[in-house]
Amino acid sequence: MTGSLLSIENLSIGFTGLNDQPIFIVRDVNLTLAAGETLGLVGESGCGKSSLLLAMMGYYKQGLGRLRGGIAYDGQDPGLVSSQQLQALRGGGMALIPQNAGQALTPTLRIKAQMVEVLRLHSDLAPGAWHARCLALFERVKLPDPEEMLERYPHELSGGQQQRVAIAMALAGEPDLLLLDEPTTGLDVTTQVGVLSLLQEICRDLNTAMVYVSHDIQVISQVCNQIAIMYAGEIVEMGPRADLLNQPVHPYTQGLLASIPRLDQQTLPHPIAGEMLQPVHRGSNVGCGYAGRCALATDQCREIAPLAQPIADRWVKCHEVTAARAGEFIRPAQKLLAPNLSDSELLAVEDLSVRYQAPTWLQSLRGQQPPAIVRAVSFGIRKGEIKGLVGESGSGKSTILKTIAGLQPSLSGRITLSGTDDLAGPVESRPRRCLRKVQLVFQNPDASLNPRKTTGEILRRPLELYFDLGPGVMDEEVDALLQRVNLPESYKGRFPGQLSGGEKQRVAIARALAAKPELILCDEITSALDVSVQAAILKLLLDLRADSGVSLLFVSHDLAVVETLCDSVLVLEGGEVREAGSCAEVFKNPQHAYTQALLASVL
Amino acid sequence: MSSAPAMLKGVMATRSGKIGVVLVGFHLLLALMSPWLVPYDFAAQTALVDHAGPSLAHWAGLDTLGRDVLTRTMLGGREALLVTIFGTGLAVVWGSFFGVLAGYLGGRIDELIMRSVDIFLAIPWMIFLLLVIASFGNAPIVMILTLGFFYGIGVVRMARAATLEVVVKDYVLAAKARGESPLSIMMTEILPNVRDVLMVESAMRWSWMLLAFSALSFLGFGVTPPTPDWGLMIANSRIYLALAPWPVLMPMIALSSLIIGINLTADALAKSLGVDKTTRALV
């Protein structure tokens, strides 16, 4: 196609497996990008979006290569040019902004040295003009006090500032195309908003084209005009932003959009059944990659790969477009009204303060105290209540959770369970009956299950510890637990490494349930999961509460998730409570400036 | 995750691993069977023909005292293997016990254990060993205990380092929050997850200990003559190296092939278990 800056035709990336079978990580991707255009690539983890992005720069992760198809950037194929030309292309013609800028910057070099290196390689400026150019770039990305920033080391910058430096470095070579790999994923929501608006501005003012990769379609829709949805290595739907968001056609796009929790929604996020088959496991199986999870899948879908068919301005890879457009297969459930909670308080936290370090002898000599992470926090949880704890990183929300679990000693304050049990002490000092009542589920399911134990062994352990059961009853209990978290009984013999992320998190929840707890502490338990899987876990938690009346303390940075799940919410900033109340009140009518800022940052 | 047969399979998957297993297996078999296989009595002297080269009667020739070199080489690894196998076992057991303890408990106990380790590491072990042997003799049990003790010191450090990586994992935290006893956490949550590192480490320690034992024998502290031993054979015959190389070459080949075999096996094991040997940590 003429006039296009980047065009990719039938590109497949992967490796050759046993018996010379090609294994695709990315398959049959077609796309074109005109100068100044912005394209967002959306997909779940492992769908091949980063591999595709890197291939645009002519780079393949170790072991991967181009199996077929072509890439043309400005008429040149980055896979065929000489290494000198490629070096000029990377950083000059196109520039990559990585996910974690903090790790992409060299920790031992001052920012200035790193900026100058880029200018030396990718600009024609005389060395005398480098300093001024650095300052201009830093002003461009709105870094405060550019002079001083240049003299700092990367660790002296905040996460948002590091990302801005990375953007400035990418802009140094005046690229025509910016490649962004989840550049805001590790940032707090309020910081993310700033970075996104900066990117928008840059595209508008400099007419730079952009390919933006993210798992978060809401982030993409802030920045990009064109959106491509990737699933299991393929682009399944691609078109202009408004069309795609308002009238998604592909069943996966529809499912993805329906699974996102939103603040103003009256319905529950609707999970997509199952989890994505990783491109590696698809092997050379033809047929639609989504067929296994699709409600509309027919035999044709399972056997024949759908071809791209145009619909107005976009195209879709689906056999069942008519049925999909009818859109009858997703019926989100209405949000449940909060149950009538009894007034009996299950957990009372009064005046809790926590700090990590004890004062050093020098500090105690001077009468100084190291700063507390949590300061004078008080709240209560009623029986059957789901309480949200929101705040940005460093607000002390996980610390509060760990203190209640007895893993972090408190400085002062009282924690009481059911009015009588004292939970202020460390876990070693608590009687077993107290331990049983409070269970903890962690953020990262990969780290919270012992990789050397089977699911059955993991679930049996709390039963052995807290209850005196016969061996027959024990097995029945384990089966019942798996059933409660919607896993088949056959999973008993599996090791965590044989489970997907969502399945691992279900096992972790089942382990907590095994103790028949009264309170489950949930530490960001859905943030490591894909959004379509997250919706299923949220639904599971609501069901469990309805069944057993267990209370949850749910820590999250995601306000929409909290609004979907929780009855009441506590907003934390810098270890102090800024606002507390029922979810409806706090989210509809936030009183504190910080809560308002947080809500304004939700995309 | 992997059982012993699975581990062997993993090792055998690489070519160097295969060579290693064959070499180690050959030596172990030889050590077990050699008393019934050797052609001559190890102490029998053939009068007047000392330093004879290889002949049909004596394939590897005769040594200074006219004893059959092949016989002595075949028997020469028995005590070395006995001492080092049990010594390595002892080193790994006590070393990993204290290493995991220090890594898990942390604080004062960690300080106490690790500073003691530092003190022992500062002592030149060879001299200390000679002292022990001079006082208690060189019976295999003495050798096993002293070598096992000294080689366990390094294991403590390594097991502690591996434990520190596992302790911070959420499943250990979950076990603590559940109210598990420290012993149960160490045995069921930590030990299975540092086992791979320990396996590779013990294979490496075994080869080092073999060298150390041979060095002791070379110095005359390992085994008592006339019991054949590789280190001792080298020591006794080295002055005649130019005249009669066989009595030195044979034990050298035997010792090197065993150590190369162990190292190849350890490398292959590390590779198949995903343990990075340079950092001694799970990759």
Side-chain angles (χ1 to χ4, degrees):
Chain A
M1 204 184 276
T2 50
S4 65
L5 182 68
L6 176 79
S7 77
I8 293 178
E9 264 177 62
N10 284 324
L11 178 71
S12 291
I13 302 168
F15 53 94
T16 310
L18 294 173
N19 312 325
D20 290 332
Q21 288 272 22
I23 309 283
F24 297 104
I25 301 298
V26 170
R27 63 168 85 192
D28 297 329
V29 164
N30 284 291
L31 58 86
T32 55
L33 195 69
E37 204 177 0
T38 49
L39 170 73
L41 280 173
V42 187
E44 296 177 32
S45 50
C47 74
K49 53 192 192 299
S50 291
S51 297
L52 177 58
L53 189 80
L54 292 174
M56 293 175 190
M57 295 190 98
Y59 178 81
Y60 301 92
K61 287 181 197 159
Q62 201 173 12
L64 296 182
R66 193 194 303 182
L67 294 177
R68 57 171 181 246
I71 306 172
Y73 171 79
D74 215 2
Q76 281 178 310
D77 188 331
L80 299 178
V81 297
S82 71
S83 60
Q84 263 174 335
Q85 281 171 304
L86 190 62
Q87 202 185 1
L89 210 62
R90 292 175 179 172
M94 48 178 131
L96 178 76
I97 299 174
Q99 172 168 2
N100 193 333
Q103 283 173 19
L105 297 171
T106 309
T108 51
L109 288 180
R110 288 181 201 277
I111 299 294
K112 186 174 182 181
Q114 309 192 40
M115 287 296 292
V116 162
E117 188 184 11
V118 184
L119 289 173
R120 184 168 56 79
L121 289 172
H122 295 298
S123 78
D124 306 326
L125 293 176
W130 286 348
H131 187 76
R133 174 77 174 135
C134 285
L135 293 181
L137 282 167
F138 275 13
E139 257 155 45
R140 170 80 260 177
V141 298
K142 298 190 177 142
L143 273 167
D145 210 351
E147 265 311 337
E148 204 211 309
M149 282 289 164
L150 283 173
E151 295 305 319
R152 292 201 192 173
Y153 286 100
H155 71 268
E156 296 173 313
L157 271 55
S158 72
Q161 287 170 342
Q162 288 172 344
Q163 199 61 60
R164 281 169 200 267
V165 170
I167 296 172
M169 286 171 90
L171 293 177
E174 296 178 354
D176 299 316
L177 174 61
L178 279 179
L179 305 173
L180 301 105
D181 192 359
E182 308 241 15
T184 64
T185 297
L187 304 178
D188 279 326
V189 278
T190 45
T191 321
Q192 168 172 289
V193 169
V195 173
L196 289 179
S197 67
L198 171 69
L199 289 171
Q200 271 173 306
E201 215 184 283
I202 286 169
C203 272
R204 198 180 54 225
D205 297 353
L206 304 179
N207 198 34
T208 313
M210 204 185 271
V211 178
Y212 194 119
V213 160
S214 178
H215 67 282
D216 189 338
I217 197 166
Q218 285 151 306
V219 165
I220 294 269
S221 62
Q222 293 293 304
V223 190
C224 302
N225 299 322
Q226 289 279 321
I227 297 182
I229 308 284
M230 274 192 90
Y231 189 83
E234 285 179 87
I235 295 183
V236 294
E237 181 167 4
M238 182 164 143
R241 168 176 57 193
D243 293 7
L244 202 128
L245 290 181
N246 297 332
Q247 287 160 329
V249 171
H250 195 282
Y252 175 63
T253 317
Q254 294 193 29
L256 185 68
L257 286 167
S259 68
I260 300 168
R262 286 167 214 264
L263 273 183
D264 47 358
Q265 219 167 29
Q266 293 311 303
T267 51
L268 282 178
H270 185 272
I272 307 177
E275 282 180 44
M276 186 176 80
L277 196 58
Q278 297 290 320
V280 182
H281 298 140
R282 265 182 85 185
S284 47
N285 167 29
V286 282
C288 176
Y290 187 59
R293 294 174 79 184
C294 183
L296 304 172
T298 61
D299 286 344
Q300 188 193 17
C301 297
R302 282 179 272 271
E303 280 152 25
I304 303 165
L307 297 174
Q309 38 180 312
I311 298 173
D313 285 343
R314 62 180 136 168
W315 54 262
V316 180
K317 273 187 183 177
C318 182
H319 288 302
E320 297 294 324
V321 169
T322 330
R325 291 185 93 173
E328 289 292 309
F329 63 100
I330 293 177
R331 287 204 200 85
Q334 288 295 309
K335 256 183 200 167
L336 303 170
L337 292 171
N340 285 324
L341 297 169
S342 64
D343 283 339
S344 66
E345 200 155 72
L346 178 70
L347 181 85
V349 176
E350 291 160 74
D351 254 349
L352 180 71
S353 294
V354 183
R355 70 170 176 226
Y356 279 143
Q357 297 156 312
T360 60
W361 66 271
L362 196 66
Q363 279 173 324
S364 49
L365 211 65
R366 289 180 182 165
Q368 290 172 332
Q369 295 285 328
I373 305 295
V374 173
R375 281 190 287 274
V377 169
S378 300
F379 64 94
I381 300 177
R382 287 175 288 172
K383 262 193 170 51
E385 185 179 57
I386 304 185
K387 183 158 219 107
L389 215 52
V390 297
E392 296 184 293
S393 51
S395 62
K397 49 195 196 306
S398 291
T399 308
I400 293 178
L401 224 57
K402 284 197 177 138
T403 312
I404 296 173
L407 297 170
Q408 171 72 44
S410 62
L411 186 63
S412 62
R414 283 157 50 79
I415 308 172
T416 24
L417 189 71
S418 333
T420 50
D421 296 331
D422 179 22
L423 293 188
V427 73
E428 295 85 11
S429 70
R430 297 182 184 179
R432 191 145 284 187
R433 118 196 103 76
C434 259
L435 290 171
R436 181 187 66 76
K437 290 180 186 169
V438 180
Q439 293 292 313
L440 189 58
V441 183
F442 294 89
Q443 172 174 12
N444 189 347
D446 293 325
S448 68
L449 304 177
N450 187 338
R452 297 297 164 104
K453 287 194 191 175
T454 62
T455 304
E457 288 168 341
I458 288 169
L459 296 182
R460 205 166 291 132
R461 191 58 201 149
L463 295 172
E464 288 167 0
L465 208 59
Y466 301 128
F467 307 104
D468 197 13
L469 301 174
V473 187
M474 188 84 86
D475 288 339
E476 277 172 36
E477 274 292 309
V478 170
D479 291 346
L481 283 168
L482 283 170
Q483 206 181 358
R484 275 181 85 184
V485 296
N486 303 327
L487 289 176
E489 284 171 19
S490 60
Y491 273 41
K492 263 187 296 195
R494 293 205 186 183
F495 287 97
Q498 296 166 301
L499 306 177
S500 70
E503 287 168 346
K504 278 183 219 164
Q505 202 58 291
R506 282 169 194 275
V507 172
I509 293 171
R511 177 174 63 187
L513 289 175
K516 302 197 170 54
E518 291 173 14
L519 174 66
I520 303 182
L521 308 169
C522 306
D523 190 359
E524 300 259 15
I525 65 171
T526 61
S527 62
L529 305 175
D530 283 318
V531 63
S532 67
V533 178
Q534 165 178 284
I537 297 285
L538 294 179
K539 188 168 179 303
L540 173 69
L541 291 176
L542 284 169
D543 289 348
L544 289 174
R545 191 260 300 260
D547 290 350
S548 62
V550 65
S551 307
L552 302 179
L553 181 56
F554 190 88
V555 162
S556 179
H557 67 279
D558 189 333
L559 294 178
V561 168
V562 167
E563 204 257 357
T564 304
L565 185 72
C566 300
D567 308 315
S568 58
V569 64
L570 207 65
V571 182
L572 288 168
E573 187 198 10
E576 289 176 48
V577 179
R578 291 286 179 246
E579 190 159 357
S582 81
C583 261
E585 284 168 29
V586 172
F587 287 111
K588 287 251 160 54
N589 193 8
Q591 298 299 313
H592 194 278
Y594 179 69
T595 319
Q596 288 163 358
L598 270 185
L599 281 165
S601 314
V602 175
L603 302 175
Chain B
M1 211 160 301
S2 40
S3 56
M7 248 182 243
L8 188 65
K9 209 177 147 195
V11 170
M12 295 292 274
T14 57
R15 203 173 60 174
S16 58
K18 261 183 213 146
I19 298 173
V21 169
V22 167
L23 283 175
V24 174
F26 170 77
H27 274 286
L28 288 178
L29 217 62
L30 189 71
L32 283 173
M33 311 286 287
S34 53
W36 295 278
L37 294 177
V38 288
Y40 295 94
D41 180 54
F42 65 81
Q45 299 174 340
T46 309
L48 300 176
V49 274
D50 57 349
H51 286 156
S55 63
L56 272 181
H58 303 279
W59 292 358
L62 298 171
D63 69 3
T64 329
L65 299 174
R67 296 175 298 192
D68 184 52
V69 172
L70 183 65
T71 302
R72 294 184 65 79
T73 307
M74 284 167 76
L75 292 166
R78 281 168 61 87
E79 189 160 336
L81 278 170
L82 177 84
V83 167
T84 54
I85 285 173
F86 283 99
T88 309
L90 178 69
V92 170
V93 168
W94 87 259
S96 42
F97 174 77
F98 281 100
V100 171
L101 200 69
Y104 175 70
L105 294 178
R108 296 234 171 105
I109 293 178
D110 182 27
E111 283 292 316
L112 184 74
I113 293 175
M114 294 321 290
R115 295 302 76 80
S116 317
V117 161
D118 289 343
I119 291 169
F120 280 113
L121 282 175
I123 299 174
W125 61 270
M126 191 60 120
I127 293 175
F128 194 85
L129 218 67
L130 296 181
L131 193 74
V132 171
I133 292 165
S135 330
F136 298 100
N138 64 352
I141 185 69
V142 177
M143 301 290 280
I144 289 171
L145 289 177
T146 38
L147 283 172
F149 173 73
F150 268 99
Y151 276 81
I153 293 166
V155 178
V156 176
R157 295 182 68 123
M158 190 270 321
R160 174 178 175 269
T163 304
L164 288 179
E165 271 181 48
V166 176
V167 172
V168 294
K169 292 277 167 66
D170 285 344
Y171 54 80
V172 177
L173 218 53
K176 262 189 217 172
R178 194 158 70 217
E180 301 271 9
S181 68
L183 185 70
S184 150
I185 292 178
M186 282 187 269
M187 292 307 289
T188 63
E189 309 288 343
I190 295 175
L191 206 55
N193 289 295
V194 298
R195 197 195 58 180
D196 289 355
V197 185
L198 291 175
M199 292 287 300
V200 174
E201 185 66 18
S202 26
M204 299 301 297
R205 303 258 154 203
W206 184 21
S207 78
W208 298 343
M209 202 186 282
L210 258 169
L211 273 177
F213 182 85
S214 299
L216 281 174
S217 296
F218 183 85
L219 295 174
F221 288 90
V223 295
T224 318
T227 313
D229 180 89
W230 296 331
L232 193 61
M233 287 170 75
I234 295 172
N236 288 341
S237 305
R238 77 193 139 102
I239 42 174
Y240 309 109
L241 187 62
L243 195 67
W246 290 101
V248 180
L249 275 183
M250 285 299 284
M252 271 171 60
I253 292 168
L255 183 60
S256 323
S257 63
L258 177 55
I259 284 170
I260 289 170
I262 294 172
N263 286 343
L264 287 176
T265 312
D267 281 351
L269 191 67
K271 206 171 167 188
S272 80
L273 293 176
V275 176
D276 181 357
K277 276 214 293 99
T278 51
T279 62
R280 297 280 146 66
L282 289 167
V283 184

